[in-house]
Amino acid sequence: MTVVRNNPLGEKDFVETLIPQRFPFVMVDKLYSYSETELVSGFTIQSDALFLENDFFLESGIIEHMAQSVALHTGYQFYLKKMQAPTGYIGSVKDIEISQLPKLHDEIITTVSILQEFGGITLVDVVTKLDDVEIAKGQMKTVLAK
C-alpha cells in the first residue's frame, strides 16, 4: 500500500468524527490510507498535546496514538458503510517496543495491520515510524462494545 503524504484521505476535522476521543485526548490527525486489512494514520505533535514533556512525546502518548489508529480503522470502516461506529476498548497490549521518542512538531506515521477479526474482537500489529524509521511496534487486541 502506497502512502501519499501530501494527499491524505482525511485531515484533523474529518478524522475526529471517526474516533470516540475528543480534544485534548485526540492523538491522530490524518488518515493516509485504508483497506480492510490495513490503515495508515498520522499525528503531528503540537504544544497542547497530552503526554508532551520537555518537548518529547512520551511512551504513553505513542501507545495511545497506536490505539487511536486502531479505532480510526474501525471508525472509517463504519463510515464507509454509512453506519455509526460503536465504541471500542483496548483488550490487551502485547510486546510493545519503543526505541525513540518523537519531539514537538514531529509527525509520526502508524501502520495498523489487521491479523484477525472475529465477533467484534480485532487483533492487530501496529508499527509507528518517524521519518521512515521505525520507533515503536507491538500488538493490540480491541473489543467492540455490544
Side-chain angles (χ1 to χ4, degrees):
M1 176 175 299
T2 303
V3 178
V4 182
R5 291 182 67 175
N6 60 354
N7 190 21
L9 292 173
E11 295 278 355
K12 186 178 187 322
D13 292 339
F14 175 65
V15 167
E16 286 185 24
T17 68
L18 302 174
I19 60 172
Q21 293 80 8
R22 295 294 168 250
F23 181 82
F25 209 70
V26 174
M27 288 170 220
V28 289
D29 58 13
K30 286 175 214 71
L31 170 57
Y32 284 113
S33 64
Y34 168 87
S35 75
E36 286 188 25
T37 58
E38 189 174 276
L39 174 128
V40 179
S41 67
F43 181 58
T44 300
I45 300 154
Q46 302 296 327
S47 60
D48 59 357
L50 294 179
F51 307 116
L52 186 67
E53 187 174 290
N54 298 323
D55 288 344
F56 284 94
F57 194 54
L58 301 178
E59 291 89 346
S60 50
I62 294 171
I63 293 168
E64 181 60 29
H65 164 73
M66 293 168 128
Q68 288 186 23
S69 296
V70 177
L72 182 58
H73 184 273
T74 302
Y76 195 68
Q77 188 175 49
F78 276 78
Y79 166 80
L80 292 174
K81 296 176 185 177
K82 298 182 184 349
M83 296 172 61
Q84 178 75 28
T87 301
Y89 303 95
I90 298 173
S92 67
V93 176
K94 182 179 167 188
D95 299 329
I96 296 289
E97 296 176 22
I98 298 173
S99 59
Q100 180 182 342
L101 297 179
K103 297 178 187 173
L104 180 65
H105 304 301
D106 282 345
E107 182 183 21
I108 51 179
I109 304 290
T110 293
T111 302
V112 174
S113 301
I114 308 298
L115 300 176
Q116 230 175 6
E117 200 169 15
F118 182 76
I121 299 172
T122 304
L123 177 63
V124 300
D125 270 337
V126 188
V127 175
T128 299
K129 293 182 177 183
L130 173 64
D131 297 325
D132 293 322
V133 175
E134 183 179 295
I135 63 165
K137 66 180 179 178
Q139 268 191 2
M140 291 186 172
K141 187 181 293 183
T142 60
V143 181
L144 295 181
K146 300 280 180 187

